[in-house]
Amino acid sequence: MAVSFSSAAKAEVCRLIPSRYCCALAECFGILLYCNSFHIGGIKIITESRDFACILPKLFKKAFNLSFDSYPSMEAPGKLVFQIWDEEKIEMIMDSFGFDMQDTLALHVNLPIVEEECCRAAFLRGAFLAGGSVTDPGKGYHMELTTTHQSVARETDALIREVMAFPPKMAKRGGGQVLYIKQSEQISDFLTYLNAPVAAMGIMEARLEKELNNKVNRRCNCDDANTSKVM
């Protein structure tokens, strides 16, 4: 089965595994804030990316020194599901990010976790791996990050504006908050920032090819018009 452009981009991002504890923590933070479920009742991360599934246990081991309570079979087709329901593990993870399980949780991006530049990049890599997608540039230009937490979307928006110097757009979809980018140059720059330069180059190559085809078509149309006038 052919690999989608989005899957290939995620596979490229997965090649960079954080060597520093702070970056592993930040990447897990991005994963948890953009995954399917992260609250005091349990954690559920669902992915179709085998590459992401391979590095996920390593990231959690490095960041929290713990394992998942439920692992998927890597041989099984379709989506892969990782879960944690042990209360002590969830409390340890919440505490790592400055959240108190005794309070009513309104999840947000805890700024000290993403204070360093390397940690900001790691956080956005995690967000993309858990809740992101990018369209095949041959079909169009669209990249998005989806979370169920409104405050997380707003704070990620501010973070992207700071590190990338351009603003993503924001929209609601069902019960989720979507940050999206539709400019080819911005998508390419963002993928480069996430350490996916091959995918970024694919965006720019597709754009150049479209521009060349449009130029050729305009030239042909112009030649046809001139020939008609002569006739």
Side-chain angles (χ1 to χ4, degrees):
M1 188 174 75
V3 177
S4 70
F5 185 85
S6 189
S7 295
K10 288 187 178 185
E12 194 176 0
V13 171
C14 288
R15 292 174 187 170
L16 179 62
I17 299 179
S19 58
R20 300 175 61 185
Y21 164 75
C22 63
C23 293
L25 187 65
E27 189 158 336
C28 286
F29 199 25
I31 290 168
L32 289 167
L33 292 180
Y34 280 82
C35 73
N36 301 82
S37 179
F38 174 40
H39 52 74
I40 59 175
I43 294 169
K44 180 182 287 187
I45 302 170
I46 303 176
T47 181
E48 293 182 347
S49 170
R50 264 55 185 171
D51 297 274
F52 179 36
C54 284
I55 70 165
L56 188 55
K58 299 175 185 177
L59 286 171
F60 269 63
K61 189 69 175 178
K62 188 173 186 66
F64 312 114
N65 194 30
L66 56 76
S67 58
F68 286 91
D69 294 327
S70 174
Y71 291 86
S73 169
M74 295 298 288
E75 288 75 29
K79 296 179 179 180
L80 306 173
V81 182
F82 294 82
Q83 294 186 82
I84 295 176
W85 52 72
D86 183 275
E87 189 173 319
E88 290 186 2
K89 291 181 181 180
I90 295 172
E91 185 173 9
M92 181 191 304
I93 292 171
M94 292 288 188
D95 185 64
S96 299
F97 300 127
F99 299 139
D100 187 348
M101 286 185 67
Q102 305 307 316
D103 294 336
T104 301
L105 286 173
L107 296 181
H108 61 90
V109 179
N110 195 346
L111 294 180
I113 304 294
V114 293
E115 186 174 5
E116 300 295 330
E117 178 62 30
C118 58
C119 295
R120 294 173 187 173
F123 173 83
L124 291 174
R125 285 198 301 273
F128 175 66
L129 289 173
S133 64
V134 56
T135 301
D136 187 323
K139 300 176 181 177
Y141 305 122
H142 183 88
M143 181 176 186
E144 66 179 44
L145 302 174
T146 304
T147 179
T148 56
H149 312 290
Q150 187 172 8
S151 58
V152 169
R154 288 199 305 266
E155 291 160 352
T156 306
D157 173 87
L159 181 63
I160 293 174
R161 289 169 185 262
E162 183 177 349
V163 300
M164 300 304 303
F166 61 73
K169 297 184 183 298
M170 192 180 303
K172 289 185 178 181
R173 183 189 298 153
Q177 301 288 326
V178 182
L179 295 171
Y180 65 94
I181 306 168
K182 297 190 78 70
Q183 298 295 321
S184 59
E185 302 95 327
Q186 294 176 356
I187 296 173
S188 179
D189 289 345
F190 193 65
L191 287 171
T192 300
Y193 186 74
L194 299 183
N195 199 52
V198 175
M201 184 63 69
I203 297 286
M204 298 314 297
E205 287 176 349
R207 179 192 169 192
L208 291 173
E209 184 176 353
K210 288 179 182 178
E211 289 178 350
L212 179 59
N213 289 337
N214 289 337
K215 189 173 182 179
V216 170
N217 288 336
R218 285 195 299 269
R219 181 62 182 270
C220 289
N221 291 336
C222 182
D223 289 345
D224 290 343
N226 289 334
T227 300
S228 297
K229 288 180 182 179
V230 171
M231 293 298 291

